[in-house]
Amino acid sequence: MENLVVKQGNKEEQYEILLPQIEALIAGETDIVANMANVSAALKHTFDFFWVGFYVVKGEALVLAPFQGPVACTRIGYGKGVCGTAWKEARTMVVPDVEQFPGHIACNSASRSEIVVPLVREGRVVGVLDIDSDRLGAFDHTDAAALERIAAWL
Ligand code: SME
């Protein structure tokens, strides 16, 4: 369990080692909250991201779910911010500079770039995985591809 934090290698190598471990962890547990909690912890502590967590669709809003990092906004409307846009458009959003994203919701002023991956069940978005970095341009297609695989396992 402890080796779920992968510190050696570049980002691609870190994901390569981390992903099978996350897959096994998720496969061994059916509870979605437990799995979201462990995925948040594994990603936060491997990559030292500023904030890693989930929002789940509840009625008209995305509601804060398990996360690692500072206290965050609890509710995000459909189409609002990066998360609400990923929900509405059902696609991964990579935002290299949050200040350039119209309507970005600043839960914390330290956040500089962001990636949001929708969780899709039977064609519907049921939640999102949201990661914030305190560095500009922290996320690219490598993160998107790896996080989309994690999202599919949840
Ligand atoms: N920045 C997000 C809000 C969630 S926090 O980053 C944790 C957005 O614009 O949707």
Side-chain angles (χ1 to χ4, degrees):
M1 194 68 84
E2 268 175 54
N3 60 2
L4 259 174
V5 177
V6 181
K7 286 296 181 191
Q8 71 277 24
N10 61 27
K11 182 163 77 175
E12 285 78 6
E13 291 162 345
Q14 284 179 293
Y15 276 123
E16 206 172 299
I17 297 167
L18 187 66
L19 282 177
Q21 297 188 40
I22 287 182
E23 185 179 24
L25 196 67
I26 291 173
E29 174 55 59
T30 55
D31 188 276
I32 185 76
V33 172
N35 286 333
M36 290 191 290
N38 266 338
V39 167
S40 302
L43 291 170
K44 172 88 169 80
H45 293 284
T46 293
F47 297 105
D48 204 22
F49 292 132
F50 178 71
W51 194 93
V52 180
F54 292 87
Y55 285 87
V56 294
V57 173
K58 293 193 177 173
E60 304 300 302
L62 284 166
V63 181
L64 186 62
F67 71 95
Q68 296 267 315
V71 169
C73 317
T74 55
R75 284 174 189 269
I76 298 170
Y78 185 71
K80 304 291 183 193
V82 186
C83 291
T85 303
W87 177 15
K88 186 176 177 185
E89 298 185 3
R91 67 183 176 94
T92 297
M93 310 289 302
V94 176
V95 180
D97 180 353
V98 295
E99 285 179 15
Q100 303 302 316
F101 188 92
H104 167 256
I105 300 164
C107 294
N108 192 299
S109 59
S111 175
R112 308 291 299 283
S113 60
E114 181 164 5
I115 185 167
V116 180
V117 177
L119 309 182
V120 182
R121 282 274 180 301
E122 292 164 2
R124 295 177 66 93
V125 176
V126 295
V128 299
L129 167 57
D130 177 19
I131 306 183
D132 288 26
S133 172
D134 54 11
R135 291 187 296 113
L136 285 171
F139 305 104
D140 58 19
H141 62 277
T142 299
D143 301 279
L147 299 172
E148 283 169 3
R149 289 181 64 195
I150 295 173
W153 295 329
L154 282 164

